[in-house]
């Protein structure tokens, strides 16, 4: 099943995308797709209502698509989680997950405009698989328990300002938390429909030129391990998002470091999770 939120920013309405391509309103079941909805078996209630034909169809033509989850409590990111990406940036392949946080207010819709920060010379792209937590995960005993705590998956663009990230501070947050720096969506795809999340192709193009092409099978630390690992150090709550890392092909690692400029367009796709398209402009 695919869940989505449509409408103007701050006024998004919850919806579900049916197998036949029709969109159905969820306003009779929930006010939003958020942590409270996920924690209260909201996905199962939507699935039952959809199967019973109880949801009213809506016409989404011309409507903005928002992030599929209302503002997360936290966005936890994993750096250098693909060997080829670590190598292209000159970083050592990590023995343990590299963990940093991203301001949840950076989350925007999958096709919203992204702002290049004032003073930026090195704004970069990163296509990533996002994991959305559906049940509280706290001190999980093993990675085998992890997937039972996952509500679904989405595309994430972990936009990064490399000078802010790597040169201004010993931590990465300055270059990761700028406004609009985390387009998410278009859908929250439930695990049964997403299939094997360690076998998904990821792609990203800038102005029509392919820059990234990889597969989640090449993650150093897979999704179950990451959820288990993070649960040892923080409580993961429903609605939280984990960005799981990016494959090679970012501007930082390319010849000439072709960082993004105003007017550039970035297009992203992950198998079964949809597509994104953003135009960049100056803040």
């Amino acid at each position: 099943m695919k869940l989505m939120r449509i409408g103007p920013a701050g006024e998004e309405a919850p919806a579900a995308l049916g197998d036949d391509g029709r969109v159905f309103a969820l306003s009779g079941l929930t006010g939003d797709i958020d942590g409270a909805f996920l924690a209260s078996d909201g996905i199962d209630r939507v699935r039952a209502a959809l199967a019973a034909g109880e949801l009213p169809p809506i016409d989404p033509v011309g409507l903005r698509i928002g992030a599929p989850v209302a503002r997360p409590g936290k966005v936890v990111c994993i750096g250098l989680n693909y060997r080829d990406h670590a190598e292209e940036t000159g970083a050592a392949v990590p023995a343990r997950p590299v963990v940093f946080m991203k301001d949840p207010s950076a989350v925007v819709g999958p096709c919203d405009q992204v702002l290049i920060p004032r003073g930026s010379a090195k704004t970069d792209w990163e296509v990533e698989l996002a994991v959305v937590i559906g049940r509280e995960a706290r001190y999980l005993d093993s990675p085998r328990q992890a997937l039972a705590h996952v509500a679904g998956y989405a595309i994430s663009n972990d936009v990064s300002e490399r000078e802010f990230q790597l040169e201004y501070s010993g931590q990465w947050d300055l270059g990761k938390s700028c406004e609009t720096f985390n387009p998410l969506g278009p859908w929250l795809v439930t695990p049964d429909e997403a299939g094997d999340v360690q076998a998904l192709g990821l792609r990203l193009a800038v102005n029509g030129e392919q820059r990234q092409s990889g597969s989640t099978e090449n993650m150093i630390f897979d999704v179950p391990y990451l959820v288990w690992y993070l649960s040892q150090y923080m409580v993961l709550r429903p609605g939280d998002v984990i960005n799981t890392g990016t494959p090679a092909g970012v501007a930082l690692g390319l010849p000439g470091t072709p960082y993004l400029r105003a007017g550039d367009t970035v297009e992203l796709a992950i198998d079964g999770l949809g597509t994104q398209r953003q135009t960049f402009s100056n803040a």
Side-chain angles (χ1 to χ4, degrees), residues 203-238:
R203 295 167 295 281
L204 182 145
V206 179
N207 299 327
E209 182 176 354
Q210 184 169 293
R211 294 299 193 181
Q212 290 185 277
S213 179
S215 171
T216 56
E217 69 180 352
N218 295 322
M219 285 183 180
I220 297 170
F221 306 103
D222 65 15
V223 169
Y225 185 90
L226 291 174
V227 174
W228 166 80
Y229 181 84
L230 292 172
S231 80
Q232 308 306 303
Y233 301 98
M234 63 187 77
V235 179
L236 299 173
R237 295 187 169 88

Side-chain angles (χ1 to χ4, degrees), residues 4-9 23 58-66 111-112:
M4 58 194 302
R5 298 167 66 247
I6 55 178
V23 177
I58 55 176
D59 182 3
V61 174
L63 296 178
R64 168 186 172 270
I65 299 176
C111 297
D112 287 350

Side-chain angles (χ1 to χ4, degrees), residues 45-277:
R45 288 186 281 117
V46 171
R47 184 177 284 112
L50 194 60
E54 298 171 350
L55 299 176
I58 55 176
D59 182 3
V61 174
L63 296 178
R64 168 186 172 270
I65 299 176
V69 180
R71 182 177 296 180
K74 55 183 172 289
V75 178
V76 188
C77 302
I78 308 300
L80 306 174
N81 197 30
Y82 288 73
R83 188 177 299 273
D84 57 358
H85 175 55
E87 291 172 349
E88 74 171 345
T89 61
V93 174
R96 295 166 65 96
V98 175
V99 180
F100 62 94
M101 309 294 284
K102 194 160 190 167
D103 182 356
S105 69
V107 173
V108 294
C111 297
D112 287 350
Q113 185 181 65
V114 176
L115 300 176
I116 296 174
R118 296 178 184 180
S120 168
K122 299 180 180 181
T123 293
D124 206 344
W125 58 82
E126 293 189 11
V127 59
E128 306 201 6
L129 173 70
V131 178
V132 179
I133 298 298
R135 292 175 51 207
E136 183 177 287
R138 176 180 179 273
Y139 292 118
L140 298 182
D141 290 335
S142 76
R144 292 190 301 273
Q145 295 181 316
L147 295 185
H149 296 260
V150 172
Y153 304 93
I155 303 172
S156 184
N157 188 355
D158 178 19
V159 185
S160 309
E161 212 298 340
R162 302 302 188 187
E163 188 174 28
F164 298 179
Q165 175 191 355
L166 301 173
E167 302 174 37
Y168 286 3
S169 173
Q171 299 186 7
W172 291 2
D173 298 47
L174 290 182
K176 295 287 189 171
S177 292
C178 304
E179 61 179 332
T180 71
F181 260 32
N182 203 139
L184 187 69
W187 312 310
L188 172 62
V189 181
T190 54
D192 58 307
E193 185 159 341
D196 183 358
V197 295
Q198 300 306 150
L200 300 179
L202 307 89
R203 295 167 295 281
L204 182 145
V206 179
N207 299 327
E209 182 176 354
Q210 184 169 293
R211 294 299 193 181
Q212 290 185 277
S213 179
S215 171
T216 56
E217 69 180 352
N218 295 322
M219 285 183 180
I220 297 170
F221 306 103
D222 65 15
V223 169
Y225 185 90
L226 291 174
V227 174
W228 166 80
Y229 181 84
L230 292 172
S231 80
Q232 308 306 303
Y233 301 98
M234 63 187 77
V235 179
L236 299 173
R237 295 187 169 88
D240 288 350
V241 171
I242 304 170
N243 287 339
T244 59
T246 198
V250 300
L252 176 64
L254 291 174
T257 55
Y259 292 113
L260 293 164
R261 299 289 182 260
D264 285 345
T265 297
V266 176
E267 298 173 279
L268 305 83
I270 297 181
D271 294 346
L273 304 186
T275 61
Q276 295 187 358
R277 185 180 190 274

